[in-house]
Amino acid sequence: MKQPNSQPASELMLRETASQTAGPYVHIGLALAAAGIPTRDEEIWNEMARPEAEGEHIEIVGTVIDGNGDLVRDAFLEAWQADSKGVYQREYDLAKPFNSFGRTATTFEHGSEWTLRTVKPGRVRVDGIDEEHGAIDDKENDLASARSALLMAPHINLTLFARGINIHLQTRLYFEDEPEANAECPVLSRIESPARRQTLIARREEADGKVRYRFDIRLQGEGETVFFDI
Amino acid sequence: MQDDSKRFVERDRNWHPPAYAPGYKTSVARSPRQALVSMQHATASELTGPDFRGLRMGPHDNDLLLNFRQDPSQGQGLPVGERIIMFGRVVDQFGKPVPHTLVEMWQANAGGRYRHRNDNYLAPLDPNFGGVGRCLTDEAGWYRFRTIKPGPYPWPNDVNSWRPSHIHVSVMGPAISTRLITQMYFEGDPLIPLCPIVNTLKDPEAVETMIGRLDMARSRPMDCLAYRFDLVVRGELQTYFENQ
């Protein structure tokens, strides 16, 4: 019985398990309500912030569009973001007011939008050190590179899976109403083309007195969203 | 929360399937034409990820022979098909086990039919089978599921394309940058080399990483067979020297 993964390609490392498309029925595994099957008691889903969570409550909505300009109706997305204070809340617990991780999917209904209900994330340092947890002594501070202390603009990390997508696509959502922060974000600045940088900026809308941000993802062609290799 | 002291080995994107793989037709319109923007220095966003130990899971979340909730008045039968244990270890590229990480899976039933609103394949649904499982790896990185072996099924890629028997597998790993979704195939299945999705991979050794192996040692006499499928996520490195 051969175990290929346990035979390293070199002396030093195993090979990563190869990626495959999540396929058209991804929902039955990861988004049960969207698949039309009974949900379990606790599902990881798209309400990342309960009403009592601190911060500015927002809704994010968007579509996913393919190279033919058609809506992708079977997309599955994951979101990872800091809380309103700029701290990543790793421990996932549905009883908590806020979780940094969420999942969503484009609906099968007309318009095929995905939604997330969350709070606007605070700014995070490149090295993740924040006021609460950053007990850095001065010695370390001298040695730390200037870059690691830089503040990124508020953003939501998005991962996209779907039929036809062989390895997941990774992108970031930034906010239209944070122009100064966006201008100095070291990650946004990595994108050479100013026009392409714009594809990561979510547009602010107001609907029924609620703040909403729209973020359409274009997989291919004109206005193609920037995707990262992280 | 200081994560500047670690990083993950970069992904080998010649090993993974490319976005544009014309043999797999849906990838033609769903693949980016622009290059990925690479991050030479990952930030706290990429180096962190969720911990699901606080997710309250049901007692049969990893047992597909028992976990499909259906109308109790119809009786509580067992699903049709070949009973198997699917198990393995999640390790990183340096062989380090990944404990307490979320592994999820989904699959068709023994006839190749998915319990999904959009699947209309001829093979019938099994009233006793849902097709979804999840669990956390234990302290040593092991996960296990109990299920039935899914059947192959046809799909409209080429005129006569059939997926080999497969189970979709999702793993988180320590950070969002280790996240991976793959498919487990079954050792010896003659459909594997014919599959356009398998063939998005250029390296036959990459295909080998996706094949579950029959493991007679872990099979149970007069009960079920067992297939072993280890998952390897990106290797975690500690950076000992400052970027001076």
Side-chain angles (χ1 to χ4, degrees):
Chain A
M1 175 187 71
K2 190 177 145 198
Q3 266 297 321
N5 271 357
S6 60
Q7 287 166 26
S10 71
E11 293 286 318
L12 306 171
M13 277 202 317
L14 302 171
R15 306 303 292 263
E16 194 186 359
T17 301
S19 175
Q20 297 275 255
T21 179
Y25 307 134
V26 58
H27 317 86
I28 78 165
L30 308 181
L32 279 65
I37 60 172
T39 52
R40 298 161 291 205
D41 286 341
E42 293 209 341
E43 294 295 339
I44 302 163
W45 197 230
N46 68 351
E47 191 188 26
M48 296 165 71
R50 290 159 64 114
E52 64 268 23
E54 272 185 44
E56 186 191 349
H57 286 254
I58 59 176
E59 189 182 69
I60 319 244
V61 63
T63 55
V64 181
I65 300 152
D66 74 11
N68 296 323
D70 294 321
L71 290 170
V72 173
R73 297 187 181 281
D74 48 12
F76 171 74
L77 296 93
E78 293 185 338
W80 177 243
Q81 62 159 96
D83 66 15
S84 60
K85 298 201 169 102
V87 179
Y88 279 102
Q89 298 297 335
R90 293 169 163 172
E91 285 79 29
Y92 191 86
D93 186 341
L94 286 173
K96 283 171 30 176
F98 175 81
N99 285 290
S100 277
F101 187 74
R103 287 177 164 169
T104 185
T106 48
T107 65
F108 296 113
E109 280 85 54
H110 173 75
S112 233
E113 288 183 338
W114 53 268
T115 54
L116 284 168
R117 285 189 298 284
T118 183
V119 292
K120 198 161 181 228
R123 296 179 75 175
V124 180
R125 268 171 58 138
V126 164
D127 59 9
I129 293 172
D130 64 89
E131 285 157 11
E132 260 182 78
H133 303 94
I136 327 163
D137 59 71
D138 285 330
K139 181 161 153 259
E140 254 193 81
N141 231 351
D142 290 340
L143 294 173
S145 78
R147 188 185 178 276
S148 60
L150 290 174
L151 275 173
M152 297 184 281
H155 65 280
I156 301 179
N157 305 283
L158 292 173
T159 304
L160 176 61
F161 300 89
R163 172 176 67 109
I165 294 179
N166 291 317
I167 178 167
H168 52 282
L169 293 168
Q170 293 156 315
T171 189
R172 283 187 175 200
L173 180 161
Y174 286 87
F175 297 87
E176 177 176 38
D177 49 6
E178 299 280 347
E180 293 92 22
N182 292 343
E184 55 185 47
C185 181
V187 173
L188 258 185
S189 316
R190 267 288 287 128
I191 303 166
E192 276 189 67
S193 155
R196 295 213 70 215
R197 238 175 269 146
Q198 286 306 303
T199 67
L200 299 192
I201 314 293
R203 304 293 154 203
R204 186 188 165 97
E205 297 175 349
E206 248 159 83
D208 317 312
K210 284 192 283 195
V211 178
R212 201 162 73 177
Y213 291 90
R214 168 165 293 281
F215 189 68
D216 296 316
I217 297 172
R218 286 175 182 76
L219 296 178
Q220 185 188 102
E222 192 183 324
E224 185 180 303
T225 302
V226 167
F227 299 109
F228 293 102
D229 188 1
I230 66 174
Chain B
M1 179 171 69
Q2 290 135 46
D3 292 298
D4 58 322
S5 59
K6 76 167 184 225
R7 68 176 182 87
F8 294 99
V9 174
E10 63 277 8
R11 278 211 151 110
D12 182 348
R13 290 183 182 267
N14 291 316
W15 170 259
H16 286 292
Y20 176 66
Y24 174 26
K25 296 190 178 184
T26 311
S27 78
V28 174
R30 293 185 174 193
S31 47
R33 287 293 170 267
Q34 302 271 357
L36 297 176
V37 174
S38 41
M39 284 198 204
Q40 281 70 30
H41 305 284
T43 73
S45 300
E46 292 76 41
L47 294 171
T48 54
D51 176 340
F52 292 107
R53 277 175 280 189
L55 185 65
R56 283 163 280 272
M57 300 208 243
H60 303 304
D61 276 11
N62 69 337
D63 188 347
L64 285 72
L65 299 186
L66 297 181
N67 74 6
F68 181 59
R69 258 181 279 168
Q70 41 132 19
D71 182 2
S73 72
Q74 305 225 322
Q76 199 69 329
L78 286 169
V80 172
E82 302 169 40
R83 296 161 61 90
I84 60 171
I85 288 170
M86 175 201 168
F87 78 102
R89 205 168 193 193
V90 181
V91 296
D92 79 0
Q93 287 176 276
F94 299 112
K96 193 176 89 170
V98 185
H100 313 303
T101 198
L102 184 63
V103 179
E104 295 161 290
M105 55 86 109
W106 66 99
Q107 59 168 96
N109 67 18
R113 177 80 181 275
Y114 279 93
R115 188 173 281 278
H116 187 285
R117 53 200 282 177
N118 288 347
D119 185 5
N120 295 311
Y121 176 43
L122 292 177
L125 287 170
D126 182 334
N128 298 306
F129 190 75
V132 191
R134 63 183 179 183
C135 68
L136 289 179
T137 53
D138 66 18
E139 311 73 44
W142 294 93
Y143 75 89
R144 59 195 67 79
F145 295 99
R146 195 168 68 146
T147 183
I148 54 92
K149 188 179 173 202
Y153 63 82
W155 60 301
N157 191 69
D158 302 300
V159 173
N160 191 25
S161 297
W162 288 77
R163 298 295 338 277
S165 295
H166 64 282
I167 295 179
H168 295 268
V169 183
S170 160
V171 61
M172 180 58 67
I176 60 163
S177 43
T178 55
R179 179 95 176 82
L180 190 70
I181 285 184
T182 187
Q183 297 183 28
M184 182 190 86
Y185 303 100
F186 290 81
E187 175 173 41
D189 188 338
L191 289 173
I192 293 171
L194 305 179
C195 175
I197 288 175
V198 171
N199 288 326
T200 57
L201 293 163
K202 296 175 201 153
D203 189 334
E205 282 192 30
V207 174
E208 294 288 303
T209 68
M210 302 185 304
I211 298 182
R213 308 282 161 183
L214 182 66
D215 186 331
M216 292 310 295
R218 263 82 160 204
S219 63
R220 296 163 67 117
M222 304 306 287
D223 180 352
C224 59
L225 288 172
Y227 280 86
R228 168 135 178 200
F229 184 62
D230 288 349
L231 288 154
V232 181
V233 299
R234 290 169 71 179
E236 185 174 323
L237 288 159
Q238 296 302 316
T239 55
Y240 291 107
F241 302 100
E242 302 297 340
N243 289 345
Q244 285 291 73

